[in-house]
Amino acid sequence: MAPTARTPGMKLVQVRANGRVGQRTIDIEVLAREAGMHPDLVRRFVRLGLLEPVEPAGRGLQLFPRDAAARLARASRLRRDLGLDYAGAVLACELLARIEELEARLRRYER
């Protein structure tokens, strides 16, 4: 069993090494609370491909990286501010992430 750590005012947070040593993962309830949305909305974004659990839902528990809340918040802002539907917000997030990745690569080559 993975070691655990307590975050004040939150459920138990599991600390696992899912590809990164010591990567913190959170369950969907904590993720929804951190993103300020209902868990069903988080599940909708998961179905649309915005987020992917780092742990499969084999035992009914999906675990996500802690930074997933920021992606959810970005998608929510795009929906609210630009009037995008869910699929449009997911697509915009994917494109923005790709742009950020390419800009980082370009900065490395410019050094």
Side-chain angles (χ1 to χ4, degrees):
M1 177 158 249
T4 56
R6 281 234 179 250
T7 304
M10 293 188 170
K11 291 182 181 177
L12 198 60
V13 176
Q14 293 191 355
V15 180
R16 298 180 166 272
N18 295 312
R20 286 184 263 166
V21 175
Q23 177 186 6
R24 290 182 167 264
T25 57
I26 54 179
D27 68 24
I28 201 161
E29 299 292 329
V30 173
L31 177 58
R33 189 169 36 255
E34 286 187 1
M37 58 182 62
H38 194 277
D40 288 341
L41 186 53
V42 175
R43 288 182 189 92
R44 175 180 265 182
F45 279 120
V46 170
R47 282 192 306 273
L48 289 169
L50 179 65
L51 304 174
E52 192 169 313
V54 292
E55 282 287 316
R59 294 183 312 232
L61 178 66
Q62 291 181 316
L63 297 175
F64 297 88
R66 183 159 293 285
D67 66 351
R71 284 181 276 168
L72 285 170
R74 175 183 255 180
S76 183
R77 281 192 311 275
L78 288 167
R79 280 190 33 76
R80 181 191 63 230
D81 296 348
L82 300 179
L84 299 176
D85 63 6
Y86 290 102
V90 170
L91 177 61
C93 285
E94 290 171 353
L95 292 173
L96 289 168
R98 180 68 175 146
I99 289 168
E100 290 167 359
E101 176 187 324
L102 292 171
E103 286 176 340
R105 189 182 299 177
L106 182 59
R107 280 192 298 276
R108 281 195 306 270
Y109 288 123
E110 289 176 342
R111 289 184 194 169

